[in-house]
Amino acid sequence: MNNFFVILAAGNGSRFKTKQKKQYVLYKNLRLFEHSILKALKSKLFKKIILVADEPSKIKNVYSKDLIIIKGGKERSISSKIALKYLKKFKPKNVLIHDAARPDFSLNLIKKIINNLKKNKAVIPFINSTDSIKYKLKNNMYNLNKNKIFLTQTPQGFDFQSVYKLSIKDKNFVTDEASLFIDLDKKIKFIKGENKNKKITFTEDIKKNINYLGLGFDIHRLILGKNLYLGGIKIPFHSGLKGHSDGDVILHAIIDAILGATRRKDIGTYFPNTKKFKNIRSPKMLRPIIDNLSKLNIIINNIDINLICEKPKVSKYRNKIINSISKIININKDKINLKGKTVEKLGLIGKEKAIACEVIVSITKYD
Ligand code: ZN
């Protein structure tokens, strides 16, 4: 096992528009380059793993004593050359050179490359293009047969001595080491790469959307002679809901569900029983919560509501209530569901002395 793994992570990633350099951006909960380190370690196929970084001092080696972090150059080919020169003293048999921007290769691919290095000096994974490709030569365009187009990936595996000699002599700033072999007509063993082994190039490649759920519950006592508000609208009924506000159990449960999904405590935190909120209408409580969602780049996927009461009959007001909620929250009606539940005349709710409501909401946070 005289194999070494080189991870190139010194690039600038100019097509990547974030404050951080691409290799430090979080992807699937790890910094981009960490995926390659952890996979190389897990494979147990390498004596040493060399991480070539732009600022080695900024990366704490919490991974393994077999990881060495060295400073790279301005161009990929310079970083690669620096790594190969550094490795010379270890007298490697094989070296795999990999771009940190490809975090999704499999352990199987590494194994295949190393196996193929037994009989070959250069082993390069490739995939075919799924796009149609044209080639421009002077003013003429030519169609290329996409089945004969090889899109080369990394890791690329080499007999150390062979790639070292070619790299030292190279002055062309090649974009991968396979190019060195091709330029000099040296033999390459091409093996099937992996579609999922994509290069993270543009900011949008790395955007992640995270889903959350939130649960809300509310109950208010019914009292005679008060207006009944459910879902933001007035419902004709002999009693209304008692509360510091208008007692709208549906909107209150929605507020708590959203606060739950966004991990922002509960309705009482934002609307305590103070003079300021005395007799407040519940849409006025819900709206600022919704406004805050758009600021946080969060959208609501759906809302499911159980209204628990003997009367009024939910089926009679379902559409009106859903319409009202859809307007307050500014989401499509088909994302809201309202179910009516009776309680077999049991307890306070069964005796029409209270109305309860439970809500579950699903949200997505976009990066
Ligand atoms: Zn309430």
Side-chain angles (χ1 to χ4, degrees), residues 42 46 50 112 123 137 154 198-199 221 288 294 307:
K42 198 174 170 194
F46 303 101
I50 312 295
K112 257 170 42 186
V123 179
L137 198 61
T154 70
K198 285 198 182 76
K199 190 172 188 174
R221 213 177 260 279
S294 41
L307 186 67

Side-chain angles (χ1 to χ4, degrees), residues 14 16 33 75 84 91 121 140 163 165 170-171 203 208 210 212 234 238 254 270 297 300 313 327 334 340 348:
S14 52
F16 210 74
F33 67 87
E75 300 287 335
L84 291 171
K91 297 188 171 59
K121 302 239 187 259
N140 296 322
V163 72
K165 279 182 207 155
D170 173 60
K171 298 208 165 44
T203 319
K208 56 189 186 304
I210 307 177
Y212 298 93
K234 203 162 119 184
H238 53 71
I254 290 175
Y270 300 90
N297 229 358
I300 293 175
K313 271 253 167 277
K327 274 189 198 134
D334 63 16
L348 272 182

